[in-house]
Amino acid sequence: MSKSVGNVANCLCGSVKIRVKNIDPKFTVCHCSSCQTWGGGPLFMLQCGTDVVFEGKESIKEYESSAWASRGFCSKCGTHLFSRFKKTGTYNMPVGLFPTTEGLEMTMQYFSDLKPDYYCFSNETAEMTEAEIYAHFSSQL
Ligand SMILES: [Zn+2]
Ligand SMILES: [Zn+2]
């Protein structure tokens, strides 16, 4: 129960509240062009599983960003809330929504071969290229 504080998020305007049962604090940074376009930079995403409860669902809009996943945001303030895999129903959510989660650690970078040259992180992480990701996740696509 003591972890519940770290597993609750609000959008900027407060219309949407999110409660996540289990967050993996080891998060992934995605450099793909969809994430760059969506957020203006790489996306820092936590794996949140399927045990997620939303309050204010009527304010959430979902955009089908690919054949296998959609991206959700608050229709009132624009806060990016999640990407959701259609096949598994699992949610990934931005790290910044859960800043008090214990043990946050950047452990993986996706689409490392698509990362623009104008930034780089000094964090030591594993990396996966576009080809490696499609090979690894083909069962979820
Ligand atoms: Zn909002
Ligand atoms: Zn991405």
Side-chain angles (χ1 to χ4, degrees), residues 72-138:
F73 57 95
C74 175
S75 62
K76 298 200 172 108
C77 69
T79 299
H80 296 159
L81 302 171
F82 58 79
S83 75
R84 184 170 57 86
F85 278 100
K86 289 184 204 170
K87 194 166 173 184
T88 59
T90 54
Y91 288 90
N92 288 342
M93 301 198 181
V95 175
L97 294 180
F98 301 93
T100 60
T101 296
E102 284 176 27
L104 289 173
E105 187 186 349
M106 186 195 291
T107 57
M108 172 61 82
Q109 297 185 61
Y110 284 166
F111 296 98
S112 54
D113 52 331
L114 301 184
K115 184 186 78 58
D117 290 334
Y118 54 74
Y119 67 79
C120 65
F121 297 114
S122 59
N123 306 53
E124 301 265 346
T125 73
E127 296 185 0
M128 289 176 83
T129 64
E130 183 174 29
E132 288 168 340
I133 287 167
Y134 283 116
H136 190 258
F137 291 106
S138 56

Coordinates of all heavy atoms in Angstrom, one line a residue, residues 72-138:
G72 N -3.1 7.7 -26.0 CA -4.2 8.4 -25.3 C -3.7 9.8 -24.8 O -2.5 9.9 -24.3
F73 N -4.6 10.8 -24.8 CA -4.2 12.1 -24.2 C -5.5 12.7 -23.7 O -6.6 12.4 -24.0 CB -3.6 13.0 -25.3 CG -4.4 13.2 -26.5 CD1 -5.2 14.3 -26.6 CD2 -4.4 12.2 -27.5 CE1 -6.0 14.5 -27.8 CE2 -5.2 12.4 -28.7 CZ -6.0 13.6 -28.8
C74 N -5.3 13.7 -22.8 CA -6.4 14.4 -22.2 C -6.9 15.4 -23.3 O -6.1 16.2 -23.8 CB -6.0 15.2 -21.0 SG -7.3 16.2 -20.3
S75 N -8.2 15.4 -23.6 CA -8.7 16.3 -24.6 C -8.9 17.7 -24.2 O -9.1 18.6 -25.0 CB -10.1 15.7 -25.1 OG -11.0 15.7 -24.0
K76 N -8.7 17.9 -22.9 CA -8.9 19.3 -22.3 C -7.5 20.0 -22.2 O -7.4 21.2 -22.5 CB -9.5 19.3 -21.0 CG -11.0 18.7 -21.0 CD -11.8 19.1 -19.8 CE -13.2 18.7 -20.0 NZ -13.6 17.6 -19.2
C77 N -6.5 19.3 -21.8 CA -5.2 20.0 -21.6 C -4.1 19.4 -22.4 O -3.0 20.0 -22.5 CB -4.8 19.9 -20.1 SG -4.4 18.3 -19.5
G78 N -4.3 18.3 -23.1 CA -3.3 17.7 -24.0 C -2.3 16.9 -23.4 O -1.4 16.4 -24.1
T79 N -2.3 16.7 -22.1 CA -1.3 15.8 -21.5 C -1.3 14.4 -22.1 O -2.4 13.8 -22.2 CB -1.6 15.7 -19.9 OG1 -1.6 17.0 -19.3 CG2 -0.6 14.7 -19.3
H80 N -0.1 14.0 -22.4 CA 0.0 12.6 -23.0 C -0.1 11.6 -21.9 O 0.7 11.7 -20.9 CB 1.4 12.5 -23.7 CG 1.5 13.4 -24.9 ND1 2.7 13.8 -25.4 CD2 0.5 14.0 -25.6 CE1 2.4 14.6 -26.5 NE2 1.1 14.7 -26.6
L81 N -1.0 10.6 -22.0 CA -1.3 9.7 -20.9 C -0.7 8.3 -21.1 O -0.3 7.7 -20.1 CB -2.8 9.7 -20.7 CG -3.5 11.0 -20.4 CD1 -5.0 10.8 -20.5 CD2 -3.0 11.6 -19.1
F82 N -0.8 7.8 -22.3 CA -0.4 6.4 -22.5 C -0.3 6.0 -24.0 O -0.8 6.7 -24.8 CB -1.4 5.4 -21.8 CG -2.8 5.5 -22.3 CD1 -3.2 4.9 -23.5 CD2 -3.8 6.2 -21.6 CE1 -4.5 5.0 -24.0 CE2 -5.1 6.3 -22.0 CZ -5.4 5.7 -23.2
S83 N 0.5 4.9 -24.2 CA 0.2 4.2 -25.4 C -0.2 2.8 -25.0 O 0.2 2.3 -23.9 CB 1.5 4.1 -26.3 OG 2.4 3.2 -25.7
R84 N -1.1 2.2 -25.8 CA -1.7 0.9 -25.4 C -1.6 0.0 -26.6 O -2.0 0.3 -27.7 CB -3.2 1.2 -25.1 CG -3.9 0.0 -24.6 CD -5.3 0.3 -24.1 NE -6.1 1.0 -25.1 CZ -6.9 0.4 -26.0 NH1 -7.0 -0.9 -26.0 NH2 -7.6 1.1 -26.9
F85 N -1.1 -1.2 -26.3 CA -1.0 -2.3 -27.3 C -2.4 -2.9 -27.4 O -2.9 -3.3 -26.4 CB 0.1 -3.3 -26.9 CG 1.5 -2.9 -27.2 CD1 2.3 -2.4 -26.3 CD2 1.9 -3.1 -28.5 CE1 3.6 -2.1 -26.6 CE2 3.2 -2.7 -28.9 CZ 4.1 -2.2 -27.9
K86 N -2.9 -2.9 -28.6 CA -4.2 -3.4 -28.9 C -4.3 -4.9 -28.5 O -5.3 -5.4 -27.9 CB -4.6 -3.2 -30.3 CG -4.9 -1.8 -30.6 CD -5.4 -1.7 -32.0 CE -5.1 -0.3 -32.6 NZ -5.3 -0.2 -34.0
K87 N -3.3 -5.7 -28.9 CA -3.4 -7.1 -28.8 C -3.3 -7.6 -27.3 O -4.1 -8.4 -26.9 CB -2.2 -7.8 -29.6 CG -2.4 -9.3 -29.8 CD -1.4 -9.8 -30.8 CE -1.5 -11.3 -30.9 NZ -0.4 -11.8 -31.8
T88 N -2.5 -7.0 -26.6 CA -2.3 -7.4 -25.2 C -3.1 -6.5 -24.2 O -3.3 -6.9 -23.0 CB -0.8 -7.3 -24.8 OG1 -0.3 -6.0 -24.9 CG2 0.0 -8.3 -25.7
G89 N -3.4 -5.3 -24.6 CA -4.1 -4.4 -23.7 C -3.2 -3.7 -22.7 O -3.6 -3.1 -21.8
T90 N -1.9 -3.9 -22.8 CA -0.9 -3.4 -21.9 C -0.7 -1.9 -22.2 O -0.7 -1.4 -23.3 CB 0.4 -4.1 -21.9 OG1 0.9 -4.1 -23.2 CG2 0.3 -5.5 -21.4
Y91 N -0.5 -1.2 -21.1 CA -0.2 0.3 -21.1 C 1.2 0.6 -20.9 O 1.9 0.0 -20.0 CB -1.1 1.0 -20.1 CG -2.5 1.0 -20.4 CD1 -3.4 0.0 -19.9 CD2 -3.1 2.1 -21.1 CE1 -4.7 0.1 -20.1 CE2 -4.5 2.1 -21.3 CZ -5.3 1.1 -20.8 OH -6.6 1.1 -21.1
N92 N 1.7 1.5 -21.7 CA 3.0 2.2 -21.3 C 2.6 3.7 -21.1 O 1.8 4.3 -21.8 CB 4.0 2.2 -22.5 CG 4.6 0.8 -22.7 OD1 4.5 0.0 -21.8 ND2 5.1 0.6 -23.9
M93 N 3.2 4.2 -20.0 CA 2.9 5.6 -19.6 C 4.1 6.4 -19.4 O 5.2 5.9 -19.0 CB 2.0 5.6 -18.3 CG 0.8 4.8 -18.5 SD -0.5 5.2 -17.3 CE -1.8 4.1 -17.8
P94 N 4.0 7.7 -19.7 CA 5.2 8.6 -19.5 C 5.7 8.6 -18.1 O 5.0 8.8 -17.1 CB 4.6 10.0 -19.9 CG 3.5 9.7 -20.8 CD 2.9 8.4 -20.2
V95 N 7.0 8.5 -17.9 CA 7.7 8.5 -16.6 C 7.3 9.8 -15.9 O 7.1 9.8 -14.7 CB 9.2 8.5 -16.8 CG1 9.9 8.6 -15.5 CG2 9.6 7.2 -17.5
G96 N 7.2 10.9 -16.5 CA 7.0 12.2 -15.9 C 5.6 12.3 -15.2 O 5.4 13.2 -14.3
L97 N 4.7 11.4 -15.5 CA 3.4 11.4 -14.8 C 3.6 10.7 -13.4 O 2.7 10.9 -12.5 CB 2.4 10.6 -15.6 CG 1.9 11.2 -16.9 CD1 0.9 10.3 -17.6 CD2 1.4 12.6 -16.8
F98 N 4.7 10.0 -13.2 CA 4.8 9.2 -12.0 C 6.2 9.5 -11.3 O 7.0 8.6 -11.1 CB 4.7 7.7 -12.3 CG 3.4 7.3 -12.9 CD1 3.3 7.2 -14.3 CD2 2.3 7.0 -12.1 CE1 2.1 6.8 -14.8 CE2 1.1 6.6 -12.6 CZ 1.0 6.5 -14.0
P99 N 6.5 10.8 -11.0 CA 7.8 11.1 -10.6 C 8.2 10.6 -9.2 O 9.4 10.6 -8.9 CB 7.8 12.7 -10.6 CG 6.3 13.0 -10.4 CD 5.6 11.9 -11.1
T100 N 7.2 10.2 -8.4 CA 7.6 9.7 -7.1 C 7.7 8.2 -7.0 O 7.9 7.6 -6.0 CB 6.5 10.2 -6.1 OG1 5.2 9.6 -6.4 CG2 6.5 11.7 -6.0
T101 N 7.6 7.5 -8.2 CA 7.8 6.1 -8.2 C 9.2 5.7 -7.8 O 10.1 6.4 -8.2 CB 7.5 5.5 -9.6 OG1 6.1 5.7 -9.9 CG2 7.8 4.0 -9.6
E102 N 9.3 4.8 -6.9 CA 10.7 4.4 -6.3 C 11.5 3.6 -7.3 O 10.9 2.8 -8.1 CB 10.5 3.6 -5.0 CG 10.1 4.5 -3.9 CD 9.9 3.6 -2.6 OE1 10.4 2.5 -2.5 OE2 9.1 4.1 -1.8
G103 N 12.7 3.9 -7.4 CA 13.7 3.1 -8.1 C 13.7 3.3 -9.6 O 14.1 2.5 -10.4
L104 N 13.2 4.5 -10.1 CA 13.2 4.8 -11.5 C 14.6 4.7 -12.1 O 15.5 5.3 -11.5 CB 12.6 6.2 -11.7 CG 11.1 6.3 -11.5 CD1 10.7 7.8 -11.6 CD2 10.3 5.5 -12.4
E105 N 14.7 4.0 -13.2 CA 16.0 3.8 -13.8 C 15.8 3.6 -15.3 O 15.0 2.8 -15.7 CB 16.6 2.5 -13.2 CG 18.1 2.3 -13.6 CD 18.6 1.0 -13.1 OE1 17.9 0.3 -12.2 OE2 19.7 0.5 -13.5
M106 N 16.6 4.4 -16.1 CA 16.6 4.2 -17.5 C 17.4 3.0 -17.9 O 18.6 3.0 -17.7 CB 17.1 5.5 -18.2 CG 17.0 5.5 -19.7 SD 18.0 6.7 -20.5 CE 17.2 8.2 -20.0
T107 N 16.8 2.0 -18.4 CA 17.5 0.8 -18.7 C 17.5 0.4 -20.2 O 18.3 -0.5 -20.6 CB 16.9 -0.4 -18.0 OG1 15.5 -0.6 -18.3 CG2 17.0 -0.2 -16.5
M108 N 16.7 1.0 -21.0 CA 16.6 0.6 -22.4 C 16.3 1.8 -23.3 O 15.6 2.7 -22.9 CB 15.5 -0.5 -22.5 CG 15.1 -0.9 -24.0 SD 16.5 -1.7 -24.9 CE 16.4 -3.4 -24.2
Q109 N 16.9 1.8 -24.5 CA 16.5 2.8 -25.5 C 16.1 2.0 -26.8 O 16.8 1.2 -27.3 CB 17.7 3.7 -25.8 CG 18.2 4.5 -24.6 CD 19.3 5.5 -24.9 OE1 19.1 6.3 -25.8 NE2 20.4 5.3 -24.3
Y110 N 14.9 2.3 -27.2 CA 14.3 1.7 -28.4 C 14.6 2.6 -29.7 O 14.7 3.8 -29.6 CB 12.8 1.6 -28.3 CG 12.3 0.5 -27.4 CD1 11.0 0.5 -27.0 CD2 13.1 -0.5 -27.0 CE1 10.5 -0.6 -26.2 CE2 12.6 -1.6 -26.3 CZ 11.3 -1.6 -25.9 OH 10.8 -2.6 -25.1
F111 N 14.7 2.0 -30.8 CA 15.0 2.6 -32.1 C 16.2 3.5 -32.0 O 16.2 4.6 -32.4 CB 13.7 3.5 -32.5 CG 12.5 2.6 -32.8 CD1 11.5 2.5 -31.8 CD2 12.4 2.0 -34.0 CE1 10.4 1.7 -32.1 CE2 11.2 1.2 -34.3 CZ 10.3 1.1 -33.3
S112 N 17.3 2.9 -31.4 CA 18.5 3.6 -31.2 C 19.1 4.1 -32.5 O 19.8 5.1 -32.6 CB 19.5 2.8 -30.5 OG 19.7 1.5 -31.1
D113 N 18.8 3.3 -33.6 CA 19.3 3.7 -34.9 C 18.6 4.9 -35.5 O 19.0 5.5 -36.5 CB 19.4 2.5 -35.9 CG 18.0 1.8 -36.0 OD1 17.2 1.9 -35.0 OD2 17.7 1.2 -37.0
L114 N 17.4 5.2 -35.0 CA 16.6 6.3 -35.5 C 16.8 7.6 -34.7 O 16.3 8.7 -35.0 CB 15.1 6.0 -35.5 CG 14.7 4.7 -36.3 CD1 13.2 4.6 -36.3 CD2 15.2 4.9 -37.8
K115 N 17.6 7.6 -33.6 CA 17.8 8.7 -32.8 C 18.5 9.9 -33.6 O 19.5 9.6 -34.3 CB 18.7 8.4 -31.6 CG 18.9 9.5 -30.6 CD 19.9 9.1 -29.5 CE 21.4 9.2 -30.0 NZ 21.8 10.5 -30.5
P116 N 17.9 11.1 -33.5 CA 18.5 12.2 -34.2 C 19.9 12.5 -33.6 O 20.2 12.1 -32.4 CB 17.6 13.4 -33.9 CG 16.3 12.8 -33.4 CD 16.7 11.5 -32.8
D117 N 20.8 13.1 -34.3 CA 22.1 13.4 -33.9 C 22.2 14.6 -32.9 O 23.2 14.8 -32.3 CB 23.1 13.7 -35.1 CG 23.3 12.5 -35.9 OD1 23.2 11.4 -35.4 OD2 23.6 12.7 -37.1
Y118 N 21.1 15.3 -32.7 CA 21.2 16.6 -32.0 C 21.0 16.4 -30.5 O 21.0 17.3 -29.7 CB 20.2 17.6 -32.5 CG 18.8 17.2 -32.6 CD1 18.0 17.1 -31.5 CD2 18.2 17.0 -33.9 CE1 16.7 16.7 -31.6 CE2 16.9 16.6 -34.0 CZ 16.1 16.5 -32.9 OH 14.8 16.1 -33.0
Y119 N 20.9 15.1 -30.0 CA 21.0 14.9 -28.5 C 21.5 13.5 -28.3 O 21.5 12.6 -29.2 CB 19.6 15.0 -27.9 CG 18.6 14.0 -28.3 CD1 18.6 12.7 -27.7 CD2 17.6 14.3 -29.2 CE1 17.7 11.8 -28.1 CE2 16.7 13.3 -29.6 CZ 16.7 12.1 -29.0 OH 15.8 11.1 -29.4
C120 N 22.0 13.3 -27.1 CA 22.3 11.9 -26.7 C 22.3 11.9 -25.2 O 22.5 12.9 -24.5 CB 23.7 11.4 -27.2 SG 25.1 12.3 -26.6
F121 N 22.0 10.7 -24.6 CA 22.0 10.5 -23.1 C 23.3 9.9 -22.7 O 23.9 9.0 -23.4 CB 20.8 9.7 -22.7 CG 19.5 10.2 -23.1 CD1 18.7 9.6 -24.0 CD2 19.1 11.4 -22.5 CE1 17.4 10.2 -24.3 CE2 17.8 12.0 -22.8 CZ 17.0 11.4 -23.7
S122 N 23.8 10.3 -21.5 CA 25.0 9.7 -21.0 C 24.6 8.4 -20.1 O 25.5 7.7 -19.7 CB 25.8 10.7 -20.1 OG 25.0 11.1 -19.1
N123 N 23.3 8.2 -19.9 CA 23.0 7.0 -19.1 C 23.5 5.7 -19.8 O 23.4 5.6 -21.1 CB 21.4 6.8 -19.0 CG 20.8 8.1 -18.5 OD1 21.0 9.2 -18.9 ND2 19.9 7.9 -17.5
E124 N 24.0 4.8 -19.1 CA 24.4 3.5 -19.6 C 23.1 2.6 -19.7 O 22.6 2.2 -18.7 CB 25.4 2.8 -18.7 CG 26.7 3.6 -18.5 CD 27.8 3.2 -19.5 OE1 27.6 2.1 -20.1 OE2 28.7 4.0 -19.6
T125 N 22.7 2.3 -20.9 CA 21.5 1.5 -21.1 C 21.7 0.5 -22.2 O 22.6 0.6 -23.0 CB 20.3 2.3 -21.5 OG1 20.4 2.7 -22.9 CG2 20.1 3.6 -20.6
A126 N 20.8 -0.5 -22.2 CA 20.7 -1.4 -23.4 C 20.1 -0.6 -24.5 O 19.4 0.4 -24.3 CB 19.9 -2.7 -23.0
E127 N 20.3 -1.1 -25.7 CA 19.7 -0.4 -26.9 C 19.1 -1.5 -27.8 O 19.7 -2.6 -27.9 CB 20.7 0.4 -27.6 CG 21.3 1.6 -26.8 CD 22.2 2.5 -27.6 OE1 22.4 2.2 -28.8 OE2 22.7 3.5 -27.0
M128 N 18.1 -1.1 -28.5 CA 17.6 -2.0 -29.6 C 17.3 -1.1 -30.9 O 16.8 0.0 -30.8 CB 16.2 -2.6 -29.2 CG 16.4 -3.7 -28.1 SD 14.9 -4.4 -27.6 CE 14.6 -5.6 -28.8
T129 N 17.7 -1.6 -32.0 CA 17.5 -1.0 -33.3 C 16.1 -1.3 -33.8 O 15.4 -2.2 -33.3 CB 18.5 -1.4 -34.3 OG1 18.3 -2.8 -34.6 CG2 20.0 -1.2 -33.9
E130 N 15.7 -0.6 -34.8 CA 14.4 -0.8 -35.4 C 14.3 -2.3 -35.8 O 13.2 -3.0 -35.5 CB 14.3 0.0 -36.7 CG 12.9 -0.1 -37.3 CD 12.7 0.9 -38.5 OE1 13.7 1.3 -39.1 OE2 11.6 1.3 -38.8
A131 N 15.3 -2.9 -36.5 CA 15.2 -4.3 -36.9 C 15.1 -5.2 -35.7 O 14.3 -6.2 -35.7 CB 16.4 -4.6 -37.7
E132 N 15.8 -4.9 -34.7 CA 15.8 -5.8 -33.5 C 14.4 -5.7 -32.8 O 13.9 -6.7 -32.3 CB 16.9 -5.4 -32.5 CG 18.3 -5.7 -32.9 CD 19.4 -5.1 -32.1 OE1 19.1 -4.0 -31.4 OE2 20.5 -5.6 -32.2
I133 N 13.8 -4.5 -32.8 CA 12.5 -4.4 -32.1 C 11.5 -5.2 -32.9 O 10.6 -5.9 -32.3 CB 12.2 -2.9 -32.0 CG1 13.0 -2.3 -30.9 CG2 10.7 -2.7 -31.7 CD1 13.0 -0.8 -30.9
Y134 N 11.4 -5.0 -34.2 CA 10.4 -5.7 -35.0 C 10.6 -7.2 -34.9 O 9.6 -8.0 -34.8 CB 10.4 -5.3 -36.4 CG 9.7 -3.9 -36.6 CD1 10.4 -2.8 -37.0 CD2 8.4 -3.8 -36.3 CE1 9.8 -1.6 -37.1 CE2 7.8 -2.5 -36.3 CZ 8.5 -1.4 -36.8 OH 7.9 -0.2 -36.9
A135 N 11.8 -7.7 -34.8 CA 12.1 -9.1 -34.6 C 11.6 -9.6 -33.3 O 10.9 -10.6 -33.1 CB 13.5 -9.5 -34.8
H136 N 11.8 -8.8 -32.2 CA 11.6 -9.2 -30.9 C 10.1 -9.1 -30.5 O 9.6 -9.9 -29.8 CB 12.4 -8.3 -29.9 CG 12.3 -8.7 -28.5 ND1 11.5 -8.1 -27.5 CD2 13.0 -9.7 -27.8 CE1 11.7 -8.7 -26.4 NE2 12.6 -9.7 -26.5
F137 N 9.4 -8.1 -31.1 CA 8.0 -7.9 -30.7 C 7.0 -8.3 -31.8 O 5.8 -8.0 -31.7 CB 7.8 -6.4 -30.4 CG 8.5 -5.9 -29.1 CD1 9.6 -5.1 -29.2 CD2 8.0 -6.3 -27.9 CE1 10.3 -4.7 -28.0 CE2 8.6 -5.9 -26.7 CZ 9.8 -5.1 -26.8
S138 N 7.5 -9.1 -32.7 CA 6.6 -9.4 -33.8 C 5.3 -10.1 -33.4 O 4.3 -10.0 -34.0 CB 7.3 -10.2 -34.9 OG 7.8 -11.4 -34.3

